[in-house]
Amino acid sequence: MTTLEKKICMMGAPGVGKTSLVRRFVESIFSDKYLSTVGVKIDRKVVPIGDTSLSLLLWDLQGEERYQWVRMQYLRGASGFLLVVDGTRPKTLEVALGLQENAESRVGQVPFVLILNKADLKAEWQIDVAAADRLRSAGWIVLETSAKTGENVNEAFEGLGRRILGL
Ligand code: GDP
Ligand code: MG
C-alpha cells in the first residue's frame, strides 16, 4: 500500500459551510490543529483509494474571510481544492467562480470539485441550476451536499482525492 499526503484547500464565500463540511468529514473536532498566526486550521483524514492510502491535509481559513483575495498564498502547494457554494445564496456561486479563476492563475490547473452545499434546504435554493449543469457539461465535478445531514460529504472529498490521483 502506497501512502501519499496531499494538501487540499477549502474555498468559497463566508458562511457557505466550509468548516462544517470538514467537521462532518473528519468526524473529530479533537484532531484539530490550529495555525492561529495565519488563521488557518488544518485537519487530517486518511482515505483508502484503490491501493493508495491518501492522507488529506484539509486547510480551512478561519474567521474573517474578507481578506481571502490577498491570502491566496494559502493555496501554495495545494494538490486540489473544494469550491463551496451555498445553494440558498446565488452570489456565493459568483464568488466561487471568481475564486476558481484566481486559484488557476496562481497555482495553475489543479483538481477541484464544485460543491453545492445546504442540500437539506433545497426547497429554498436560489442558485441557477442551469448554470451548474453547464459547468457539469464543461467537465466539472459538481456535487450537491449537506454538511447538516452528511449527504454526499464523503463522496465530495473522496471524489477530489480520486481526481488528485488521476483516477
Ligand atoms: P464557512 O464560513 O464556509 O466555514 O461556513 P460554516 O461551516 O461556518 O457554516 C456557516 C453556517 O451555515 C453555520 O450556521 C452552519 O451551521 C450552516 N451550515 C453549514 N452547512 C450547512 C448545511 O449543509 N445545511 C444547513 N442547513 N446549514 C449549514
Ligand atoms: Mg469557516
Side-chain angles (χ1 to χ4, degrees), residues 21-27 45 47 56 58 153-154 157:
L21 287 163
V22 170
R23 201 165 280 164
R24 167 66 72 172
F25 181 58
V26 302
E27 293 162 3
K45 180 156 171 168
V47 287
L56 297 175
L58 306 165
V153 173
N154 288 351
F157 286 96

Side-chain angles (χ1 to χ4, degrees), residues 18-19 60-61 65:
K18 300 178 295 298
T19 301
D60 183 29
L61 282 172
E65 290 162 288

Side-chain angles (χ1 to χ4, degrees), residues 23-163:
R23 201 165 280 164
R24 167 66 72 172
F25 181 58
V26 302
E27 293 162 3
S28 167
I29 56 172
F30 300 109
S31 68
D32 295 354
K33 196 160 105 188
Y34 289 90
L35 295 184
S36 54
T37 48
V38 285
V40 175
K41 181 163 71 71
I42 304 171
D43 280 287
R44 178 202 302 273
K45 180 156 171 168
V46 179
V47 287
I49 297 180
D51 50 13
T52 301
S53 173
L54 186 61
S55 174
L56 297 175
L57 292 178
L58 306 165
W59 286 51
D60 183 29
L61 282 172
Q62 299 300 292
E64 183 55 72
E65 290 162 288
R66 196 178 305 149
Y67 302 107
Q68 189 154 349
W69 294 99
V70 296
R71 290 164 68 191
M72 292 277 286
Q73 54 272 43
Y74 161 70
L75 272 165
R76 192 182 300 139
S79 295
F81 56 91
L82 283 191
L83 194 56
V84 186
V85 169
D86 176 346
T88 68
R89 290 185 292 142
K91 210 160 185 312
T92 65
L93 178 56
E94 287 170 39
V95 171
L97 298 178
L99 287 170
Q100 189 275 332
E101 277 183 19
N102 203 284
E104 192 168 305
S105 72
R106 302 222 175 209
V107 293
Q109 290 195 340
V110 297
F112 63 91
V113 172
L114 182 68
I115 299 294
L116 308 179
N117 191 40
K118 308 197 183 181
D120 57 288
L121 300 177
K122 204 144 179 202
E124 297 164 33
W125 274 23
Q126 305 277 334
I127 48 164
D128 182 357
V129 177
D133 284 339
R134 282 194 296 278
L135 294 170
R136 274 194 190 96
S137 305
W140 287 30
I141 301 180
V142 183
L143 286 177
E144 299 179 358
T145 66
S146 170
K148 187 170 181 184
T149 67
E151 177 186 350
N152 266 341
V153 173
N154 288 351
E155 287 78 359
F157 286 96
E158 288 166 18
L160 180 58
R162 270 193 297 279
R163 212 162 238 213

